[in-house]
Amino acid sequence: MWAVLKKEFKTYFLSPIGYVFIGLFLAMFSLLFYILTIYSGAVTYQAVFYNAVIYALIFIIPLLTMRMFAEERKSGTEQLLMTSPRSIVGITLGKFLAATLVIVITEILTLIYLGILCYFKVPDMATVGVTMLGFLLLSMAYISLGMFISSLTENQIVAAIVTIAIFVVTWLLPNLSTSFLQFSLFEKFYPYVTGVFPITETINFVSLTIMFIILTIIVLKRRKLVK
Amino acid sequence: MIEVKNVTKRYGKFTAVDNISFDVKDGEIVGFLGPNGAGKSTTMNMITGFIEPNEGNIMINGYDIAKKPKKAKKQIGYMPENIPLYQELTVKEFVNYMAELKLVGRKNRKEEIEKILEKTGLTEVQKKLIKNLSRGYKQRVSMAGALVGNPDVLILDEPTVGLDPKQITEIRKLIKELGKEHTIILSTHILSEVSQICERVVIINHGKIIAIDTPENLEQKTQEKNSILLTVEDKKENMKHLKEEIPEIQSLKFIKDNEDGTKQYMVESEAKIDLRKKLFEVLPKQDITIFELKKAENTLEDAFISLIDETKTQEAQEVKKEDTKNEEKNSKKQKQHKEKEDSKNAKKEFNKQKEQKTKGGKK
């Protein structure tokens, strides 16, 4: 697992993808910071930014996940990976954690804005902490879904578009009928912003993540028979 | 030691590999031959555990690849077809990653990587990105990836495709050297390569093994005739009567007129009979001057082609036989009679070939 994690993480930053992801994320974060804090003059806290930036996540998470398995399959390097003594579980977790690590680094970078806010007024740190944790859990659920889609195809573009489509559908469905609220991950993120750690939502995110990781492993194992 | 037992792989209705079995002993270099789409790569992919067979099992040094994948895979170094590599890594990074994947201990890793880079002649380019390397170097990187971790068994899928002649001889030399310590299966469709490197050959076609033997035996076995290439000066046109002088000659074919007035012939006799001595004795008496006399060697190419053709005609005849059977039922008596004879002939021929094949197998 560690070997795959190390290599995958390194690859994010050997190609432009890691920088593009972090760059785009911070650009949007900065814009929100400017509009909400400096332009409108309201002193607000980290949680609000996160609440707004999760919509952007829909479009940039696929940057991290689209190539995970699709590229390996297309270039044939999956042959190297799958014929090594490493287990499929280890390989999948390695890739998943590498993407998660990129999110963690991005979150750490957003602490700059928290620092600036603290200069004016120190916000409620518990709220900030819970929000950031919630954001990480949400991202992990997204990554696992994106990874699963990537394991189904050998075309990165297809993987990215299908992933975005699924995110957008789960985002917009509640507009049709409130019964779809169950499927919206954003709805599940809101409780974190209040600063109270929501157990139900956390279990929801974690189980979703585990489910898609397991599905990915099943797909990879089945490919041995079908391919 | 690799043991492949009754392995079958199907894709839907298509059977890519059909119930094949063979062994590769320790320290042996075995060549895997076959036309495109014969099932070579599929078989290799199954041996390495990349895909699972529908039936049968594969043992690597006593470990079943399906039941103990970790231990079995540790014994294998695989160089896949089309040399897949992580283009964005440098040579050293790639080999290092492969070493990590193959559970090479941290202590020996650095030392081993250096040793392998040197063995494959990559030391100079170790800091270059793989995507910037030429095909020949990429091939070597792929080879280095297979060698890392010092596996007992090496599976090389077309290791010399796309290389220039100098690189080919280098890689062959390397493979031969590796053969001293490793068990190697190598697939190729360059036949001279097989006769140079391999101790044994497995020929596969339409997913079935049609021959397993040493290259020399295969060459001999498929040799039905002894052919001699003869260049002579024959002013009195006595060559026509040569057949009368030497009754062992089965056929005498004129090939071409050379510019210097000599003529080239192909003299064929039964496989057991060597006519060279007799030709040297008889021809001068007939006022024929020998310029060149050469035994036309039956190459592995000929063996390969005749074996592949054999299976083809057999299959065609099987189909024909079935067709004729069906037609027989429907056609009138007269037609039936004729058809019967046809199928009889086909049967005869089929049996004859079958006999030949079983003979070959027994040898």
Side-chain angles (χ1 to χ4, degrees):
Chain A
M1 185 176 87
W2 296 112
V4 179
L5 196 162
K6 221 168 78 186
K7 184 250 160 193
E8 287 296 314
F9 183 70
K10 209 161 81 183
T11 312
Y12 278 129
F13 295 98
L14 284 174
S15 64
I17 285 181
Y19 300 103
V20 169
F21 177 84
I22 294 180
L24 281 174
F25 189 92
L26 289 184
M28 276 177 285
F29 211 94
S30 308
L31 190 70
L32 284 165
F33 184 76
Y34 176 74
I35 293 170
L36 293 174
T37 310
I38 296 171
Y39 184 70
S40 65
V43 178
T44 171
Y45 51 85
Q46 194 89 344
V48 176
F49 304 142
Y50 273 110
N51 203 4
V53 90
I54 53 171
Y55 296 99
L57 209 57
I58 289 179
F59 301 99
I60 58 175
I61 281 276
L63 277 179
L64 296 181
T65 63
M66 64 183 188
R67 50 202 297 283
M68 277 182 172
F69 289 102
E71 197 189 16
E72 299 249 15
R73 196 191 279 197
K74 185 151 202 172
S75 68
T77 45
E78 67 168 351
Q79 289 196 18
L80 302 175
L81 210 54
M82 296 303 172
T83 57
S84 76
R86 300 285 175 176
S87 67
I88 289 180
V89 178
I91 291 166
T92 313
L93 284 180
K95 282 180 178 270
F96 171 76
L97 290 178
T100 309
L101 202 58
V102 177
I103 299 279
V104 171
I105 287 177
T106 318
E107 279 202 289
I108 290 171
L109 286 172
T110 63
L111 291 178
I112 300 167
Y113 303 97
L114 186 69
I116 297 170
L117 276 181
C118 286
Y119 179 75
F120 298 105
K121 185 190 169 211
V122 179
D124 177 18
M125 281 302 172
T127 314
V128 172
V130 170
T131 309
M132 286 177 78
L133 181 68
F135 181 76
L136 183 65
L137 289 170
L138 173 72
S139 308
M140 280 162 84
Y142 273 175
I143 289 169
S144 64
L145 174 67
M147 178 168 78
F148 171 62
I149 304 288
S150 179
S151 75
L152 294 174
T153 171
E154 62 175 55
N155 189 325
Q156 293 183 42
I157 307 294
V158 170
I161 289 173
V162 172
T163 311
I164 291 175
I166 292 175
F167 289 168
V168 170
V169 167
T170 57
W171 169 28
L172 296 179
L173 266 182
N175 293 341
L176 281 177
S177 153
T178 45
S179 56
F180 286 120
L181 275 175
Q182 286 301 320
F183 294 105
S184 172
L185 292 180
F186 295 137
E187 294 298 327
K188 300 202 168 63
F189 178 69
Y190 296 140
Y192 289 95
V193 184
T194 59
V196 186
F197 186 74
I199 291 171
T200 325
E201 274 73 12
T202 304
I203 291 172
N204 215 306
F205 280 145
V206 171
S207 52
L208 205 67
T209 308
I210 292 172
M211 181 181 90
F212 280 117
I213 290 176
I214 290 173
L215 282 176
T216 311
I217 292 168
I218 291 172
V219 167
L220 293 177
K221 283 205 166 148
R222 248 200 85 66
R223 260 177 68 72
K224 269 174 96 177
L225 281 170
V226 181
K227 217 209 119 49
Chain B
M1 175 94 176
I2 306 166
E3 296 157 87
V4 177
K5 279 183 217 145
N6 307 323
V7 166
T8 300
K9 178 72 191 173
R10 282 183 292 266
Y11 297 114
K13 277 183 185 169
F14 174 67
T15 309
V17 172
D18 193 359
N19 196 18
I20 65 167
S21 307
F22 64 92
D23 288 344
V24 183
K25 292 179 205 86
D26 284 333
E28 200 177 20
I29 306 181
V30 167
F32 227 59
L33 280 180
N36 291 324
K40 283 174 293 179
S41 292
T42 310
T43 310
M44 295 198 145
N45 275 333
M46 285 193 287
I47 295 174
T48 54
F50 181 58
I51 54 179
E52 253 169 56
N54 295 87
E55 280 158 37
N57 32 4
I58 296 164
M59 310 281 276
I60 314 285
N61 282 350
Y63 300 113
D64 192 322
I65 192 103
K67 284 170 195 149
K68 290 195 170 157
K70 195 170 173 179
K71 278 193 174 150
K73 282 174 179 175
K74 231 190 137 188
Q75 319 281 329
I76 303 175
Y78 182 31
M79 178 174 168
E81 207 182 358
N82 306 326
I83 45 171
L85 297 168
Y86 293 100
Q87 307 286 339
E88 66 277 7
L89 298 182
T90 66
V91 173
K92 199 174 181 180
E93 279 169 340
F94 175 79
V95 179
N96 184 51
Y97 182 46
M98 292 313 289
E100 283 179 350
L101 281 181
K102 288 187 177 176
L103 312 159
V104 177
R106 197 175 293 229
K107 271 186 192 166
N108 328 329
R109 204 182 292 154
K110 220 174 174 183
E111 210 176 299
E112 189 171 340
I113 289 167
E114 239 138 67
K115 222 169 73 191
I116 278 163
L117 287 176
E118 205 179 307
K119 218 179 201 172
T120 45
L122 290 167
T123 318
E124 279 166 40
V125 294
Q126 57 176 307
K127 283 181 183 153
K128 274 195 177 179
L129 285 179
I130 290 175
K131 63 177 155 202
N132 296 332
L133 292 178
S134 69
R135 167 96 195 186
Y137 272 115
K138 280 184 185 167
Q139 208 107 356
R140 289 190 213 185
V141 176
S142 185
M143 183 77 111
L147 287 177
V148 90
N150 200 23
D152 277 349
V153 175
L154 288 176
I155 315 270
L156 311 172
D157 204 345
E158 308 202 342
T160 55
V161 163
L163 297 181
D164 67 39
K166 190 169 170 272
Q167 291 167 333
I168 288 181
T169 44
E170 275 172 22
I171 290 258
R172 277 182 197 160
K173 226 166 114 190
L174 181 63
I175 293 172
K176 252 194 150 163
E177 217 181 281
L178 291 168
K180 287 171 194 161
E181 295 164 26
H182 304 260
T183 309
I184 299 178
I185 297 185
L186 126 157
S187 90
T188 174
H189 29 236
I190 304 168
L191 292 142
S192 60
E193 195 162 283
V194 174
S195 35
Q196 276 177 36
I197 315 176
C198 302
E199 286 144 33
R200 236 159 25 114
V201 184
V202 176
I203 298 183
I204 182 170
N205 193 23
H206 295 298
K208 285 180 189 150
I209 290 180
I210 51 179
I212 306 181
D213 215 328
T214 62
E216 294 78 28
N217 280 350
L218 280 175
E219 282 161 19
Q220 277 173 17
K221 225 184 269 173
T222 48
Q223 194 163 16
E224 287 158 7
K225 280 177 187 162
N226 207 338
S227 313
I228 293 166
L229 263 171
L230 192 60
T231 312
V232 292
E233 193 178 57
D234 177 25
K235 283 181 180 149
K236 292 177 182 165
E237 306 255 318
N238 279 339
M239 277 303 277
K240 288 176 202 159
H241 314 297
L242 194 63
K243 245 181 158 176
E244 291 147 30
E245 296 290 328
I246 311 174
E248 288 95 336
I249 293 177
Q250 275 184 340
S251 73
L252 179 69
K253 277 183 228 155
F254 172 72
I255 297 176
K256 63 173 182 184
D257 269 314
N258 287 334
E259 277 177 18
D260 56 359
T262 57
K263 287 170 180 169
Q264 201 174 28
Y265 290 91
M266 171 83 90
V267 184
E268 285 180 341
S269 66
E270 272 180 46
K272 295 169 203 158
I273 303 164
D274 192 350
L275 280 179
R276 284 178 293 184
K277 202 177 161 196
K278 215 156 193 184
L279 283 171
F280 268 117
E281 282 167 13
V282 173
L283 289 179
K285 285 179 195 161
Q286 304 285 323
D287 278 341
I288 303 171
T289 325
I290 300 175
F291 274 64
E292 195 187 3
L293 188 145
K294 201 168 100 187
K295 194 176 176 194
E297 293 268 352
N298 201 353
T299 59
L300 194 57
E301 255 101 5
D302 300 324
F304 179 70
I305 290 165
S306 78
L307 279 167
I308 299 282
D309 282 349
E310 207 170 278
T311 48
K312 241 186 226 164
T313 47
Q314 263 182 35
E315 269 162 29
Q317 272 164 9
E318 266 163 34
V319 173
K320 206 173 151 194
K321 242 168 88 184
E322 256 173 42
D323 282 351
T324 49
K325 255 186 203 167
N326 291 340
E327 272 176 41
E328 263 172 39
K329 281 177 193 167
N330 305 331
S331 60
K332 287 173 190 172
K333 272 186 182 176
Q334 261 189 347
K335 220 180 171 185
Q336 208 176 18
H337 187 70
K338 208 182 159 196
E339 212 90 275
K340 247 185 187 170
E341 240 174 8
D342 274 359
S343 67
K344 250 187 201 167
N345 286 340
K347 240 185 205 168
K348 258 187 198 166
E349 236 183 286
F350 174 70
N351 283 338
K352 208 172 143 191
Q353 272 186 344
K354 214 177 174 184
E355 237 178 65
Q356 269 176 13
K357 212 192 151 192
T358 47
K359 251 189 207 167
K362 272 173 195 166
K363 263 188 192 172

